[in-house]
Amino acid sequence: MANIKSAIKRVDIAERNRLRNKSHKSAVRTLMKKYFTAVEKHTATPSAETSAEVQKCMSEAYQKIDKAVQKGVLHRNNGANKKSRLAQAIAVKSA
């Protein structure tokens, strides 16, 4: 454990940031899973309703990924890879 006051503060800040980053990453993963299940549902029974659900889930996931990149939780290349994976999922399933 740190003895210097500034080092103790840095430990507290690092822990706070770790928890914040963890929640952002968890939310991104949750929205991605929600999107993938919506894509599966859409490919099983294509309809306008399921298509709208896919678009809504994709939009939410994109927003969360962009926000995580903006806040520095994810590297911009990692965010781009995640968004590419989302876009590819619907392209592969619809082809």
Side-chain angles (χ1 to χ4, degrees):
M1 186 65 193
N3 293 325
I4 299 171
K5 190 174 183 180
S6 62
I8 293 170
K9 289 179 185 178
R10 292 304 305 165
V11 168
D12 290 341
I13 291 168
E15 179 64 14
R16 181 190 70 202
N17 292 344
R18 184 185 71 82
L19 294 174
R20 185 182 303 141
N21 292 347
K22 183 178 175 184
S23 73
H24 281 290
K25 287 180 183 181
S26 176
V28 167
R29 280 193 298 271
T30 301
L31 289 172
M32 286 181 71
K33 287 178 187 176
K34 186 176 175 184
Y35 170 78
F36 289 130
T37 56
V39 168
E40 289 294 325
K41 189 176 178 182
H42 177 67
T43 54
T45 56
S47 69
E49 185 179 293
T50 57
S51 178
E53 178 68 21
V54 166
Q55 290 301 319
K56 183 172 102 35
C57 290
M58 183 182 228
S59 176
E60 289 174 358
Y62 269 36
Q63 286 177 346
K64 191 57 111 170
I65 291 169
D66 288 338
K67 188 64 84 172
V69 168
Q70 185 180 17
K71 293 202 177 286
V73 175
L74 298 175
H75 190 273
R76 67 177 184 269
N77 290 351
N78 188 283
N81 288 342
K82 288 184 186 308
K83 287 165 62 173
S84 173
R85 188 170 159 221
L86 294 176
Q88 188 179 19
I90 192 69
V92 169
K93 297 294 181 178
S94 63

